[in-house]
Amino acid sequence: MGDQFMPREQLGVCAEGNLHSVYLMFNANDGIESQLRPCLANVAQYIHELSDQYADSALNGFIAVGANYWDSLYSASRPAELKPFPARSADNRDAPALEYDLFAHIRCDRLDILHLVANEVCQMFEGLVELVDEERGFRFMDNRDLTGFVDGTENPKGRNRQQVALVGDEDIVFKSGSYVHVQKFAHNLSKWHRLPQKKQEDIIGRTKHDNIEYASADKPLTSHIKRVNLKDAQGNSMEILRQSMPYGSVKEQGLMFISNCRNSENFEQMLHSMVHGDEEGNHDHLLHFTQALTGSSFFAPSLDFMEKAAN
């Protein structure tokens, strides 16, 4: 069955990076599920078609449904690993949960087209949902986080992006869908910039300017890279596809962290490793300089799943 039919994934899940992004978090109005199902399918298909129309500016995006809202919208079946955001807290390190019903993730290399499409998506949803939060992301320097370090170096490349991010035959109804975890991090940049460069590099586990990863023996156990590069019991890398981008204004700025994966386990283990650390309590020291404000769990179904469920 898996070989004959490959459901069409939403193109934004595995897309390469862009210059600009907009993140729209919605909560649904009560009792509108029968109208929202076809509307969601239409919005996802609309974004899919626009990616051809605006191919020159690399428009892409996806729509995802919140873990806590899924059963209201699609009561017949649920992705096997979809669960609420795994909030974590230790000492002064917090990864709180703040759930939303829907997430629209739209990216483009032209800000005007991005703005146009975001407006149109909101109009299509009018009367059904309320826009609760909106952030604009941007590429900073050569794919760097606002800390000055290159972000997403570990990301899977080429076809491996689909391998990592999309559900396969293990959950056939949700094949080509993706588990999405979103955290909005606000950075304390004045505190960060007071650190000497070598101290910053030790916290990340890479050199700042030329982005060279420390040799394994030289990586502090509290470095960011050490805490997020995990292996499972069989020794395989627990990979995620990061679609993160810096966001914000001078007043509040940081990283919109976005993980896409074929399971929810890999992200959960990473978050635990960052906040709680290993058996000796070696946690991620980057968390002394950035604060997670939100944590939301979603599933981005295939276009075919949404179309089928709309009828």
Side-chain angles (χ1 to χ4, degrees):
M1 178 184 174
D3 296 333
Q4 285 122 37
F5 176 62
M6 178 55 104
R8 298 165 302 149
E9 84 259 21
Q10 299 188 65
L11 295 176
V13 170
C14 296
E16 298 291 341
N18 288 85
L19 297 180
H20 309 284
S21 57
V22 64
Y23 309 105
L24 305 172
M25 300 290 184
F26 300 98
N27 282 339
N29 296 336
D30 291 337
I32 47 74
E33 289 76 20
S34 60
Q35 294 160 269
L36 190 53
R37 280 188 291 274
C39 181
L40 264 189
N42 288 341
V43 171
Q45 185 60 37
Y46 172 69
I47 294 171
H48 189 78
E49 285 163 9
L50 285 185
S51 59
D52 279 341
Q53 189 181 330
Y54 294 125
D56 288 354
S57 49
L59 178 92
N60 66 79
F62 63 81
I63 302 287
V65 179
N68 290 354
Y69 187 58
W70 182 275
D71 293 350
S72 305
L73 199 58
Y74 300 123
S75 55
S77 53
R78 183 180 176 92
E81 293 189 32
L82 183 59
K83 39 190 179 293
F85 188 85
R88 296 277 181 269
S89 186
D91 300 328
N92 56 353
R93 302 181 298 284
D94 260 339
L98 181 57
E99 302 284 11
Y100 301 97
D101 294 345
L102 299 174
F103 172 39
H105 174 278
I106 311 165
R107 298 188 315 189
C108 191
D109 288 349
R110 276 181 55 178
L111 200 49
D112 54 345
I113 291 171
L114 182 74
H115 189 77
L116 176 86
V117 173
N119 269 330
E120 287 175 352
V121 165
C122 286
Q123 277 164 11
M124 290 171 85
F125 279 136
E126 203 167 339
L128 301 177
V129 301
E130 179 196 351
L131 180 62
V132 186
D133 194 24
E134 171 184 359
E135 286 298 348
R136 302 287 176 117
F138 55 92
R139 184 183 292 173
F140 180 64
M141 313 308 277
D142 40 355
N143 278 332
R144 290 176 187 265
D145 176 47
L146 296 172
T147 56
F149 284 79
V150 175
D151 193 38
T153 308
E154 300 288 321
N155 254 352
K157 308 280 188 283
R159 291 177 108 156
N160 201 29
R161 293 167 84 83
Q162 271 87 355
Q163 245 342 85
V164 168
L166 300 178
V167 173
D169 289 342
E170 68 274 12
D171 193 359
I172 206 80
V173 174
F174 297 103
K175 190 171 179 172
S176 299
S178 188
Y179 293 92
V180 185
H181 291 92
V182 182
Q183 289 177 288
K184 186 200 291 189
F185 281 95
H187 292 347
N188 186 337
L189 289 175
S190 58
K191 186 179 174 188
W192 175 256
H193 291 318
R194 286 199 293 272
L195 289 181
Q197 185 173 311
K198 177 70 174 83
K199 183 82 175 121
Q200 292 182 355
E201 291 176 338
D202 288 349
I203 287 171
I204 300 292
R206 294 179 177 282
T207 61
K208 190 167 189 176
H209 295 305
D210 40 15
N211 190 33
I212 295 167
E213 190 169 327
Y214 280 22
S216 198
D218 298 335
K219 269 183 218 142
L221 293 173
T222 54
S223 69
H224 179 62
I225 289 181
K226 195 77 175 172
R227 297 272 46 92
V228 299
N229 288 5
L230 306 179
K231 292 196 170 9
D232 64 16
Q234 288 73 46
N236 304 311
S237 287
M238 299 179 76
E239 291 186 89
I240 60 171
L241 176 58
R242 293 168 175 82
Q243 292 288 21
S244 314
M245 287 182 96
Y247 79 93
S249 59
V250 174
K251 194 172 169 105
E252 182 190 288
Q253 52 191 319
L255 185 74
M256 284 297 287
F257 172 84
I258 294 165
S259 160
N260 286 83
C261 192
R262 67 188 299 158
N263 62 50
S264 62
E265 178 71 8
N266 292 6
F267 170 77
E268 286 192 25
Q269 293 292 344
M270 270 179 211
L271 189 64
H272 185 87
S273 171
M274 287 171 68
V275 175
H276 292 282
D278 57 17
E279 292 74 28
E280 284 76 53
N282 292 303
H283 64 269
D284 186 344
H285 280 195
L286 185 57
L287 294 179
H288 301 175
F289 300 89
T290 188
Q291 171 66 53
L293 305 177
T294 68
S296 319
S297 173
F298 303 94
F299 189 79
S302 69
L303 292 169
D304 295 281
F305 175 88
M306 285 191 271
E307 268 171 31
K308 225 178 186 160
N311 302 321

